[in-house]
Amino acid sequence: MIRKNIPVFALLAFGLAGVFHAAHAAAGEFAVKSTAIPEMKAVFGQVQSRTVVPARARRGGTVRQVDVTEGSEVRQGQIIATVVDEKIALELDAAEARIQELLSQLANARTELERAEQLFARGVVSQGRVDQARTQFDVATNQLAAAEANKAVIEQQAREGEVLAPATGRVLTVPVTPGSVVLPGETIARIATGQYYLRLSLPERHAAQIREGSTVRLGQRGLRGSAMVETELEGRIAKVYPEIADGRVIADVEVAELGDYFVNERTLVWIPVGSRDVLSVPPEAVTTRHGIDYVSLLTADGPIEIAVILGERFVHADAERIEILSGLRAGDKVLLP
């Protein structure tokens, strides 16, 4: 009876061995090697605007109305406030009255000139009388033109009471209120224009490692985030200033999607300040059981599982990798599922 069951157990053992061998034959291999990755330092960056321009009053007077508040979006040429001067209305009335007076004088001079020309044609008056009437008509015409030009100047002064936005952007501050008395050139509002960027201030010891064109990562807004996995945006170091002040080096970072940030808002930034060599494997090579991480290592005696200590995740050559702090060395071959 036992002799009859021996072939069955032998066949079963042979089949299990074949399955085990086929599984490892189908598994991939990954050669562990040292990889240089950037060493990132977490700092706080402050959002700045490329330019902040003031919208100024073009003439003095009293602020009648303010059409914007802090945070308003404005377009170039948009009216943001109105400054009035009560004397302007009186000057316009006086200019209009002067024009009406000169119109009457011009009409009278035209009549005198026509009468003198008729009398000269009949030989009643001399040529000198006609020339005198023509001169009076020309003087009245020129005086009317001067009065109309003076009225245009006063009307332009009235229009200059409209404070216009010098550029498209966001209003930062409005230091005046309706009823305030302002002088010519006084600031009515400050407008942030141009693209936003990040201003970084780093310790002097990192000055030699900062390079223009390096990629930086931004954390979540609200000063949250203490790990690289919480980054949201990427930027590029656009400029490193050559002067070090108070032991700090200043750098500017360009980020494409900073339009909804507040000016002077701080956010967490990771910036490369060097590089380090690490051992890494693909994330799928790691399995976790009971809180311990394992990888399958291919040895001369066959595959074995060893415990490893993991570091941070990163991307190398467009592939995700996970750092191995302990358990592997360069040249090991790891089995992939």
Side-chain angles (χ1 to χ4, degrees), residues 20-232:
F20 183 78
H21 177 76
H24 286 289
E29 295 181 4
F30 179 81
V32 179
K33 60 182 179 180
S34 178
T35 303
I37 65 172
E39 183 74 25
M40 309 298 285
K41 177 177 178 59
V43 297
F44 284 110
Q46 194 171 37
V47 179
Q48 300 287 339
S49 176
R50 286 294 179 194
T51 54
V52 177
V53 296
R56 301 183 183 274
R58 292 180 287 177
R59 64 177 178 82
T62 304
V63 179
R64 172 174 293 177
Q65 66 180 22
V66 179
D67 300 325
V68 296
T69 60
E70 289 82 354
S72 299
E73 296 285 344
V74 296
R75 301 181 308 276
Q76 184 176 4
Q78 177 181 339
I79 299 174
I80 62 176
T82 304
V83 178
V84 297
D85 189 349
E86 301 297 337
K87 299 189 298 295
I88 296 294
L90 299 177
E91 291 176 357
L92 279 175
D93 293 341
E96 183 63 29
R98 176 62 176 167
I99 290 175
Q100 295 301 324
E101 175 188 359
L102 292 176
L103 285 174
S104 300
Q105 293 180 6
L106 180 62
N108 184 55
R110 182 181 290 107
T111 301
E112 290 294 332
L113 177 60
E114 292 174 353
R115 182 181 297 114
E117 289 175 346
Q118 293 174 1
L119 292 177
F120 177 75
R122 293 199 297 266
V124 177
V125 297
S126 63
Q127 181 65 38
R129 178 71 180 84
V130 176
D131 294 340
Q132 183 181 2
R134 182 175 289 108
T135 300
Q136 291 177 352
F137 176 77
D138 293 339
V139 170
T141 301
N142 293 333
Q143 288 178 343
L144 178 60
E148 291 176 343
N150 183 60
K151 180 184 177 182
V153 171
I154 298 174
E155 289 175 342
Q156 177 61 30
Q157 291 177 351
R159 286 191 294 270
E160 288 179 353
E162 297 176 345
V163 181
L164 307 180
T168 300
R170 180 183 299 178
V171 177
L172 297 182
T173 58
V174 183
V176 299
T177 59
S180 302
V181 177
V182 296
L183 298 176
E186 191 167 343
T187 299
I188 304 299
R190 292 173 59 248
I191 302 173
T193 64
Q195 182 180 358
Y196 287 174
Y197 68 97
L198 281 175
R199 174 65 56 84
L200 305 181
S201 178
L202 299 118
E204 182 179 353
R205 64 180 180 272
H206 298 306
Q209 287 79 30
I210 300 175
R211 296 287 185 270
E212 293 185 3
S214 299
T215 300
V216 303
R217 300 179 183 177
L218 276 67
Q220 296 178 353
R221 293 184 65 176
L223 304 183
R224 302 191 308 272
S226 58
M228 295 294 292
V229 295
E230 297 181 357
T231 57
E232 291 185 340

Side-chain angles (χ1 to χ4, degrees), residues 308-326:
V308 294
I309 299 178
L310 304 182
E312 65 180 33
R313 290 174 179 259
F314 61 94
V315 177
H316 177 71
D318 296 330
E320 188 176 4
R321 295 286 185 265
I322 186 168
E323 180 183 2
I324 303 298
L325 299 178
S326 175

